[in-house]
């Protein structure tokens, strides 16, 4: 065979990467709902457990369907290894836990998904790991936060919910100068529009729940990176703590990956069109969409992303106006999820970011008038009309 999947375009990787057919020659990836595997002899079991023979042992360690998902994700990301997890949060938790031990220190962006903030602020300190938060756009702040015991940097770019962009190359250089690893939560960018490993990140994490499923069905997550870090930091941790992705969910995600490129690109086009409507409306203050020329970090976006993502954020000035807008929407759902085929909008202060204190919210510029909208696959004219009417009545 002369074809090497590593030379394929993303679109080919998404449809065929990792495909491992059974003797039946099925076209659609097989779903292996099996917890364990039978061995031909006691000696064969011994060789499997010793690692002498390759092969599956137990679903917590690996499964053929889950492995197809992992291989496809690794090809897409340009990573040597992908480990699938049961949710995005189990991926982020394990990604950090595998890099630190008692007495270590993490530097993290202030603007993070709120459960990530909880892990850093409420969980890590229980194990003697300290955390410093920085304004991720301020490179001097990252450098100043470094201590001799800093082991990991964590950043989300674009960040939730106000889509601020971090210079991943520069932050990776600072992490490496400090002897630390950079972990990037790449959910908002998607693997279609940003490849953090090529920008110097050590580990990339996803909530596959978002665009990778993209159709509102199952939870999943992924940790990606290169050897030897992936084995050293995560192999035993994942095997013995058990945040394994269900093979059923892996199968759903494999089907999601087949259409990921199409969906994300169409959703990004729709998001750009809806953003024009939002930006033109007199009720709207600030609008943030990474595809707009007026984004304060447009040059940085052009240098590290190949597309804008599918989420737009805008300020209606007050909670009352934001709630009126949401309540007047007829097509777009009120929901806190994102990356879905169905458009949805949320009021971060009272939903996704309510566990932050007001002071913490103000530090990331999240005032009560902000709305975050994830744009889906509906017709752009229908979405624009729905949003415009709701803005008229906000
Ligand atoms: C949703 C999300 C997560 C958490 O993922 P789950 O699959 O819900 O556990 C983490 N980071 C970001 C940026 C997210 O949007």
């Amino acid at each position: 065979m002369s074809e090497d999947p590593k030379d394929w375009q993303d679109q080919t990787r998404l449809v065929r990467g990792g495909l491992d057919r059974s003797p039946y020659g099925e076209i659609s990836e097989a779903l292996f709902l099996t917890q364990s595997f039978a061995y031909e002899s006691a000696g064969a079991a011994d060789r499997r457990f010793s690692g002498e023979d390759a092969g599956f042992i137990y679903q917590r360690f690996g499964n053929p369907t889950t492995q197809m998902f992992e291989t496809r994700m690794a090809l897409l990301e340009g990573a040597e290894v992908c480990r699938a997890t049961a949710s995005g949060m189990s991926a982020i938790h394990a990604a950090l836990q595998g890099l630190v031990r008692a007495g270590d220190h993490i530097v993290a962006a202030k603007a993070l998904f709120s459960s990530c903030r909880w892990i850093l602020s409420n969980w890590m300190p229980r194990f003697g790991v300290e955390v410093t938060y920085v304004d991720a756009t301020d490179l001097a702040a990252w450098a100043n936060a470094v201590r001799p015991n800093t082991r990991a940097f964590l950043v989300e770019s674009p960040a939730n919910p106000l889509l601020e962009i971090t210079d991943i190359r520069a932050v990776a250089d600072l992490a490496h100068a400090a002897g630390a690893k950079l972990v990037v939560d790449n959910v908002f960018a998607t693997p279609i529009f940003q490849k953090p490993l090529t920008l110097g990140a050590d580990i990339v994490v996803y909530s596959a729940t978002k665009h990778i499923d993209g159709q509102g069905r199952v939870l999943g997550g992924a940790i990606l990176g290169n050897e030897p870090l992936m084995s050293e930091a995560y192999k035993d941790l994942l095997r013995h703590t058990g945040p394994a992705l269900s093979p059923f969910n892996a199968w759903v995600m494999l089907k999601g990956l087949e259409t990921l490129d199409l969906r994300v690109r169409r959703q990004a086009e729709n998001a750009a069109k809806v953003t024009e409507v939002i930006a033109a409306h007199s009720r709207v203050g600030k609008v943030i969409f990474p595809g707009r020329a007026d984004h304060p970090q447009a040059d940085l976006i052009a240098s590290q992303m190949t597309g804008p993502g599918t989420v737009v954020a805008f300020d209606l000035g007050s909670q009352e106006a934001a709630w009126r807008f949401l309540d007047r929407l007829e097509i777009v759902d009120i929901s806190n999820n994102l990356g879905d085929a169905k458009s949805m909008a949320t009021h971060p202060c009272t939903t996704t970011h309510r566990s932050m204190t007001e002071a913490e919210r103000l530090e990331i510029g999240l005032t009560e008038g902000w709305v975050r909208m994830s744009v889906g696959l509906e017709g752009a004219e229908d979405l624009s009309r729905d949003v415009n009417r709701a803005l008229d009545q906000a």
Side-chain angles (χ1 to χ4, degrees), residues 48-62:
R48 196 73 65 83
F49 271 75
S50 74
E52 192 184 328
D53 282 357
F56 296 101
I57 292 177
Y58 192 55
Q59 199 182 107
R60 176 150 41 77
F61 315 161

Side-chain angles (χ1 to χ4, degrees), residues 86-90 92 113 116 156 160 185 187-188 206-210 219-221 337-338 372:
S87 68
M89 284 323 304
S90 57
I92 291 165
F113 188 71
C116 301
E156 206 182 292
N160 188 20
D185 179 338
V187 163
F188 274 66
Y206 287 102
S207 166
T209 314
K210 308 298 165 49
L219 296 183
N337 201 6
L338 65 97
R372 185 194 81 189

Side-chain angles (χ1 to χ4, degrees), residues 15-34:
V15 175
R16 295 191 172 268
L19 184 60
D20 184 10
R21 289 194 170 131
S22 82
Y24 292 113
E26 64 281 348
I27 289 292
S28 173
E29 293 74 4
L31 169 51
F32 289 92
L33 272 187
T34 181

Side-chain angles (χ1 to χ4, degrees), residues 21-336:
R21 289 194 170 131
S22 82
Y24 292 113
E26 64 281 348
I27 289 292
S28 173
E29 293 74 4
L31 169 51
F32 289 92
L33 272 187
T34 181
Q35 295 163 343
S36 44
F37 301 82
Y39 314 105
E40 272 171 18
S41 65
D46 175 47
R47 287 191 297 279
R48 196 73 65 83
F49 271 75
S50 74
E52 192 184 328
D53 282 357
F56 296 101
I57 292 177
Y58 192 55
Q59 199 182 107
R60 176 150 41 77
F61 315 161
N63 168 281
T65 307
T66 308
Q67 189 179 70
M68 283 190 262
F69 171 68
E70 292 173 333
T71 306
R72 191 167 291 180
M73 283 294 295
L75 277 169
L76 175 65
E77 196 67 40
E80 286 173 7
V81 181
C82 169
R83 296 303 310 272
T85 59
S87 68
M89 284 323 304
S90 57
I92 291 165
H93 175 244
L96 293 172
Q97 201 82 65
L99 296 177
V100 295
R101 60 192 64 206
D104 286 347
H105 174 244
I106 297 173
V107 186
K110 271 180 201 158
L112 284 178
F113 188 71
S114 57
S115 292
C116 301
R117 289 276 301 214
W118 184 88
I119 289 176
L120 293 168
S121 298
N122 299 29
W123 193 245
M124 287 294 174
R126 288 175 54 161
F127 304 95
V129 175
E130 294 188 332
V131 178
T132 304
Y133 292 107
V134 296
D135 172 351
T137 62
D138 179 356
L139 294 176
W142 288 96
N144 291 336
V146 167
R147 300 182 194 166
N149 55 343
T150 303
R151 292 288 169 270
F153 280 21
L154 173 65
V155 71
E156 206 182 292
S157 181
N160 188 20
L162 298 186
L163 309 172
E164 71 187 16
I165 310 293
T166 298
D167 185 336
I168 295 174
R169 274 191 202 90
V171 172
D173 288 345
L174 291 169
H176 298 153
K181 305 294 183 199
L182 173 62
V183 180
V184 175
D185 179 338
N186 205 40
V187 163
F188 274 66
T190 82
I192 303 300
F193 291 146
Q194 182 167 273
K195 311 266 193 205
L197 296 178
T198 66
L199 301 169
D202 300 284
I203 298 293
V204 179
V205 288
Y206 287 102
S207 166
T209 314
K210 308 298 165 49
H211 305 80
I212 292 171
D213 174 11
Q215 290 148 88
R217 300 165 295 194
V218 299
L219 296 183
I223 308 174
L224 298 113
N226 291 332
E227 294 288 14
L229 180 62
M230 285 298 296
S231 289
E232 279 168 11
Y234 305 121
K235 192 164 182 266
D236 290 341
L237 178 71
L238 295 173
R239 186 175 177 131
H240 299 298
T241 64
L245 180 67
S246 147
F248 179 80
N249 290 6
W251 181 83
V252 173
M253 298 295 183
L254 279 162
K255 295 289 114 188
L257 285 174
E258 290 185 356
T259 57
L260 181 71
D261 185 80
L262 280 176
R263 286 185 287 107
V264 165
R265 289 183 196 280
R266 174 62 70 83
Q267 286 175 237
E269 273 172 33
N270 279 354
K273 289 179 186 161
V274 171
T275 299
E276 290 307 313
V277 171
I278 294 168
H281 201 282
S282 60
R283 292 302 314 267
V284 179
K286 249 177 137 178
V287 182
I288 306 182
F289 179 60
R292 277 175 70 84
D294 68 355
H295 191 290
Q297 296 163 293
D299 291 342
L300 179 55
I301 291 167
S303 79
Q304 67 183 26
M305 297 177 73
T306 55
T310 63
V311 176
V312 51
F314 52 98
D315 186 6
L316 290 174
S318 69
Q319 174 170 322
E320 291 70 31
W323 280 25
R324 274 197 301 273
F325 167 77
L326 293 174
D327 290 343
R328 299 299 186 278
L329 290 166
E330 293 179 28
I331 295 175
V332 178
D333 289 306
I334 303 172
S335 181
N336 46 282

